[in-house]
Amino acid sequence: MSGKAFLDTNIFIYIYDSREPVKQSIADNLVRGLAIEGEAVISYQVIQEFFNWALVKGPVKMPHEEAQLYLATTFRPLMVVPSSFALVSDAIRIQERYRLSWYDSLIVSAAQQAGCHTLYSEDLQHGQQFGSVTVRDPFR
């Protein structure tokens, strides 16, 4: 792997959700590999979306103690892009140009601001370019 890579929320959902073991294994290996190399990047949005799913919407609710541990051991070591005026401003331009959903525009903006070359997600079109960021669907 070369260069920073942004990890979308669905990657972490598959790691936690055992209903799709093949995707779970792929997601787990991807995150471990990028984290070991110090190339994994997420945004606060990813953390918020994941915990909304894990604590509220998921089929099996994550216990709060486990959520605290997951936050400390899984998310804390990753480079996190904070929310900012520039991130939101860029997301507005991205949404207008590419006609993405608002939340996908924020993800693309965060990946660009972090200097990522790759955005791993199954929510966007595999191979799509957003400036220097290329979308890769690891489950393809």
Side-chain angles (χ1 to χ4, degrees), residues 116-137:
C116 295
H117 299 290
T118 305
L119 165 55
Y120 286 102
S121 177
E122 74 172 352
D123 293 341
L124 297 164
Q125 183 179 346
H126 180 81
Q128 187 171 12
Q129 292 277 146
F130 299 100
S132 62
V133 177
T134 303
V135 176
R136 297 281 176 235
D137 180 349

Side-chain angles (χ1 to χ4, degrees), residues 25-103:
S25 177
I26 291 168
D28 190 55
N29 289 334
L30 176 65
V31 171
R32 285 181 193 275
L34 289 169
I36 287 169
E37 294 182 20
E39 297 175 345
V41 176
I42 59 172
S43 63
Y44 282 113
Q45 176 187 339
V46 170
I47 295 169
Q48 292 168 351
E49 288 177 351
F50 173 79
F51 284 121
N52 184 50
W53 178 86
L55 296 169
V56 179
K57 294 183 177 182
V60 177
K61 308 301 181 254
M62 179 184 271
H64 288 90
E65 287 179 10
E66 187 177 337
Q68 289 287 354
L69 183 62
Y70 201 86
L71 178 65
T73 61
T74 301
F75 289 137
R76 187 174 190 187
L78 306 180
M79 182 183 153
V80 178
V81 179
S83 294
S84 68
F85 180 87
L87 184 132
V88 174
S89 180
D90 289 344
I92 292 169
R93 283 192 286 281
I94 288 166
Q95 186 190 38
E96 178 183 29
R97 180 172 180 193
Y98 297 103
R99 303 290 183 225
L100 300 176
S101 76
W102 174 242
Y103 293 103

